[in-house]
Amino acid sequence: MQYRKVDGYLYETHMHTSEGSACGQNTGAEMAAAYADAGYTGIIVTDHFFYGNTAVDRTLPWREWVEAFCLGYEHAREEGEKRGLQVLFGWESGYDGTEFLVYGLDREWLLAHPEIRDASVGEQFRLVHEGGGMVCHAHPFREASYIHEIRLFPEYVDAVEGMNAANAEKGMAAKPPCLEYDARAAAYAEEHGFPMTAGSDQHSTKMLYGGMVFDRKIKDMRDFVRMVMDREAVLLLDGREGGISHFPGTHRAGTTAG
């Protein structure tokens, strides 16, 4: 397996497990093992939420649904503890093809806020903010069969996923593979002054090598939110072979090793 080496701490910010996402191909434990082997410092499990492509039975009572939804994360965390991989929790909400990455909240917050299930985009933003979290627009310009139209909500997001490695990967959600989706996302973020994130949108143990590089380890998800909003990332990875993209305004160089 290729090992990606960078000058800093490499984090995956967007990935899925088979326990939580119907499109996930590998379990949380298998995903964590693959990321550990690939040289990542940590991962954020972002399975598809209630009205997204969830793998969890929507007829379950809310508590049971949340507990089942978190299994991929929990299994990944257990494996990560064995391998020295930091595993953090988030989710990807879905609104008829438009998707948002929610960071900074946890299982207990979900259990206490069943209203998030049926929240509108605006209500989601308010609830997440009240809880101290952050909303990031995932792959805002992707074109795919499940995305009926591109819809932007600059008033209801804190950040933009400026790089999504799956956009350039054959056989992934974006059809055809297109780096232009990332270019448009970066331009959108710059236009509105949003900080950018980068992730792989990975659904299997085949490494796409997207992610963010920081100068220090993330303490917890609240710390990650602060780091994103304060633009502490030193590199954003676009996932292409040998490709490491610099975060706007920084001048550090990274390296890759095959």
Side-chain angles (χ1 to χ4, degrees):
M1 177 177 292
Q2 184 187 25
Y3 184 90
R4 171 149 283 183
K5 182 179 179 181
V6 296
D7 182 16
Y9 299 90
L10 172 57
Y11 283 85
E12 173 66 84
T13 68
H14 186 172
M15 51 81 65
H16 299 272
T17 75
S18 58
E19 292 98 332
S21 300
C23 44
Q25 299 176 40
N26 290 92
T27 67
E30 291 168 339
M31 296 295 284
Y35 276 103
D37 288 343
Y40 280 76
T41 300
I43 60 176
I44 304 174
V45 177
T46 54
D47 277 319
H48 288 293
F49 200 57
F50 196 88
Y51 290 114
N53 197 21
T54 183
V56 186
D57 183 358
R58 295 185 182 92
T59 66
L60 290 171
W62 181 244
R63 174 170 288 277
E64 293 180 31
W65 189 89
V66 170
E67 290 173 350
F69 174 71
C70 293
L71 284 177
Y73 157 72
E74 291 173 0
H75 294 158
R77 185 185 61 187
E78 291 168 3
E79 184 66 22
E81 289 174 352
K82 299 175 186 176
R83 294 174 170 265
L85 179 80
Q86 188 177 11
V87 179
L88 302 164
F89 177 75
W91 67 83
E92 185 174 20
S93 63
Y95 290 86
D96 194 26
T98 304
E99 294 176 305
F100 302 93
L101 295 161
V102 178
Y103 300 116
L105 305 175
D106 58 17
R107 173 181 175 275
E108 296 308 313
W109 187 92
L110 284 175
L111 289 172
H113 293 83
E115 65 271 26
I116 192 65
R117 182 188 68 182
D118 296 308
S120 66
V121 173
E123 290 167 344
Q124 171 184 254
F125 186 70
R126 176 181 60 80
L127 287 167
V128 170
H129 268 226
E130 288 176 354
M134 177 182 76
V135 179
C136 176
H137 196 148
H139 44 71
F141 292 95
R142 175 182 289 172
E143 298 176 16
S145 59
Y146 71 95
I147 301 175
H148 305 298
E149 62 177 327
I150 293 173
R151 297 182 297 166
L152 303 175
F153 297 88
E155 68 273 36
Y156 295 133
V157 300
D158 301 291
V160 170
E161 188 179 51
M163 294 182 187
N164 183 298
N167 283 342
E169 179 69 11
K170 293 181 179 179
M172 295 298 289
K175 299 183 184 300
C178 187
L179 293 171
E180 179 63 22
Y181 304 150
D182 283 356
R184 293 175 68 186
Y188 172 60
E190 182 176 358
E191 176 187 357
H192 291 276
F194 290 130
M196 290 197 301
T197 67
S200 299
D201 200 359
Q202 202 157 289
H203 289 70
S204 75
T205 56
K206 177 185 178 183
M207 287 291 109
L208 301 182
Y209 293 103
M212 302 178 72
V213 181
F214 296 96
D215 267 333
R216 63 177 176 85
K217 287 189 69 173
I218 297 170
K219 297 176 184 177
D220 53 30
M221 281 307 295
R222 295 296 177 92
D223 190 38
F224 173 74
V225 169
R226 289 191 294 269
M227 293 169 81
V228 170
M229 296 307 297
D230 290 343
R231 293 169 167 80
E232 289 189 27
V234 293
L235 296 172
L236 298 182
L237 278 65
D238 59 20
R240 286 178 290 175
E241 182 69 23
I244 291 185
S245 297
H246 292 272
F247 191 85
T250 66
H251 302 284
R252 289 190 51 185
T255 59
T256 60

